[in-house]
Amino acid sequence: MTAATAVLPRTSPRSAAFGSAIGTTIEWYDFYLYATATALVFKPLFFPNISSTAGTLAAFATYAAGFGARPIGAIVSGHLGDRVGRKSVLVAALLVMGLATTAIGVLPTFAQVGVLAPALLVVLRLLQGLAVGAEWGGAALLSIEHAPPGRRGLFGSFTQLGSPAGMLLATGVYYAVRSLAGDDAFLSWAWRLPFLLSIVLVVIGLVVRLRLEDAPEFQAVKQRNEVARLPVVEVLRTQPKNVLLTTGLRLSQIGLFVLLTTYSLTYLQGTFGKQSQVGLVAVMVSSALGLITTPLWAHLSDRYGRRPFYLFGAVAGVVALVLFFLAAHSGSAVLVVLAIVLGVNVAHDTMYGPQAAWFGELFETRVRYSGASLGYQVGAVLSGGFAPLIAAALLVVGGPWLIVVYFGVLAVLTFASAFYAKETAR
């Protein structure tokens, strides 16, 4: 060990993984709160004077706006994260997300201020998108750059745990508030409570994150004055293939997730009735199981490679979506839960678990934040952001099987990307 590296601050692999998981859980709690509210309450509160179908489309359009802002957040955070450090960007992202989410909790509705209400909603959703665009790359790199050799998949999955944990927390809080308050009170005022809770969670997250340090691997790059002057430009110039492939790797994964955890809530209200909570229950069950299946698939990818699990997940996702629509029309709540669990915990998590490690390993340290974040967030916009909106439109045009065809195209693109991407596990 040299004198230069001996004085570098050290954060243990477990502390880095824990800090990434806690912060990312809070970020996704905030982001998924919006997704749940989009499916359940935003249409009557912010788009009341249009038809039911148009209101649903308008609500999902504001949901998509958050995804649209994510690549901008990725570009800005990638530049700062590759030049200044991962930790500083993560702290800023958590603050922006927490303040935007809390503000939604005090937002006036259409009945109070007219069209200003949905306009403000879109602005706050854009801020959420910027924060999430900054969050994932830094959290993932903080985990994998501190990870022991040969265990980047497992340690990187702690960042991925933020998604099921955040979804479980968001849907759980919504379920509890809705059940305790009743439908009328929930629609009147209680829907705000989960958003206001965000400020408490953000304080907890900041306490944890402020204690972390960047990995010696990145700090050594800074000490050698090897940081990229324009990281985003450099990664697009030197590694455009990997940016394109990581974008493709996201398409099926995020598309399947939002269809089964966000769009499904609206679709199931049409088949089981507006008072049914089968969708929320199914999402909560799959989110809870995701706390186990996400690191499991990631750990297995350390042993057997990232590619095989991704190839399987891309194909299995199409099967899972078909089973979901069959279950939705069966009248059986049990079959709906099983279909969503299969889709999320098997098809989706086999891709999502190894994702942080694979994306990070495809780029060199000095441009890693920019490269991994850009592919991750652009893929999120192209698929996840528009999937509920496209699904709602396709349902009107041709029914649920047209949605399956649309998703099948995404699955083919992800399968091809996984086939051509470099295997990095061994």
Side-chain angles (χ1 to χ4, degrees):
M1 181 179 293
T2 66
T5 59
V7 298
L8 291 175
R10 297 301 301 268
T11 294
S12 72
R14 290 184 179 180
S15 296
F18 177 73
S20 294
I22 290 295
T24 308
T25 296
I26 296 168
E27 290 267 3
W28 284 120
Y29 167 80
D30 291 348
F31 202 73
Y32 289 146
L33 270 185
Y34 193 102
T36 305
T38 297
L40 298 180
V41 300
F42 281 169
K43 188 271 171 187
L45 292 175
F46 293 93
F47 308 97
N49 295 333
I50 53 180
S51 70
S52 178
T53 299
T56 298
L57 291 172
F60 280 131
T62 67
Y63 172 80
F67 279 83
R70 286 168 69 167
I72 301 174
I75 291 171
V76 174
S77 65
H79 178 83
L80 295 174
D82 282 328
R83 289 188 58 82
V84 178
R86 285 66 160 123
K87 171 187 170 179
S88 300
V89 176
L90 288 177
V91 169
L94 192 59
L95 278 172
V96 172
M97 176 62 88
L99 293 175
T101 303
T102 303
I104 293 174
V106 297
L107 202 63
T109 64
F110 187 92
Q112 296 169 311
V113 297
V115 295
L116 181 61
L120 291 173
L121 186 65
V122 170
V123 170
L124 294 174
R125 181 59 173 174
L126 290 173
L127 289 176
Q128 281 192 324
L130 290 172
V132 168
E135 164 70 24
W136 181 85
L141 300 190
L142 204 63
S143 295
I144 68 172
E145 289 178 349
H146 280 95
R151 302 185 70 187
R152 278 183 163 178
L154 176 61
F155 277 77
S157 72
F158 281 86
T159 298
Q160 310 299 76
L161 283 178
S163 179
M167 177 62 81
L168 177 62
L169 189 59
T171 52
V173 169
Y174 252 100
Y175 182 85
V177 171
R178 189 179 183 182
S179 299
L180 292 173
D183 289 333
D184 291 339
F186 180 76
L187 194 60
S188 175
W189 59 269
W191 68 271
R192 300 178 183 276
L193 298 180
F195 288 95
L196 297 176
L197 177 62
S198 175
I199 196 66
V200 178
L201 299 177
V202 167
V203 172
I204 297 172
L206 287 175
V207 170
V208 173
R209 282 205 164 159
L210 287 171
R211 296 178 179 177
L212 303 178
E213 298 292 342
D214 288 321
E217 178 180 352
F218 173 74
Q219 294 193 47
V221 170
K222 290 183 67 176
Q223 286 194 349
R224 294 194 302 265
N225 294 320
E226 294 179 353
V227 294
R229 188 173 68 88
L230 295 172
V232 175
V233 174
E234 182 170 327
V235 78
L236 289 175
R237 179 175 57 83
T238 61
Q239 295 182 267
K241 177 183 175 181
N242 285 337
V243 173
L244 185 62
L245 289 174
T246 50
T247 299
L249 290 171
R250 277 286 272 167
L251 297 178
S252 174
Q253 174 263 308
I254 187 65
L256 181 64
F257 187 77
V258 298
L259 286 175
L260 291 179
T261 62
T262 300
Y263 176 72
S264 67
L265 301 181
T266 297
Y267 191 84
L268 290 169
Q269 284 188 338
T271 56
F272 278 77
K274 291 189 177 297
Q275 307 307 316
S276 173
Q277 302 211 64
V278 61
L280 282 175
V281 172
V283 172
M284 284 192 290
V285 171
S286 66
S287 298
L289 290 174
L291 300 177
I292 301 171
T293 55
T294 300
L296 172 64
W297 296 121
H299 172 64
L300 291 174
S301 80
D302 282 331
R303 299 187 60 183
Y304 302 109
R306 322 293 186 209
R307 182 183 293 119
F309 295 98
Y310 239 99
L311 294 174
F312 168 79
V315 175
V318 179
V319 177
L321 193 60
V322 170
L323 293 178
F324 164 74
F325 284 120
L326 291 174
H329 290 273
S330 72
S332 170
V334 173
L335 289 180
V336 168
V337 173
L338 289 175
I340 290 181
V341 165
L342 174 65
V344 174
N345 302 119
V346 179
H348 171 267
D349 288 353
T350 52
M351 296 182 282
Y352 195 61
Q355 190 175 83
W358 203 7
F359 281 29
E361 289 165 343
L362 287 171
F363 300 95
E364 59 180 295
T365 305
R366 63 197 303 267
V367 294
R368 184 174 288 154
Y369 202 138
S370 297
S373 292
L374 197 58
Y376 184 91
Q377 302 301 353
V378 171
V381 173
L382 295 178
S383 177
F386 294 103
L389 182 62
I390 292 173
L394 291 177
L395 184 66
V396 175
V397 175
W401 306 118
L402 201 55
I403 299 174
V404 174
V405 172
Y406 155 68
F407 178 74
V409 174
L410 299 180
V412 169
L413 293 173
T414 291
F415 188 94
S417 299
F419 184 82
Y420 286 107
K422 177 184 177 182
E423 175 61 75
T424 59
R426 295 182 297 277

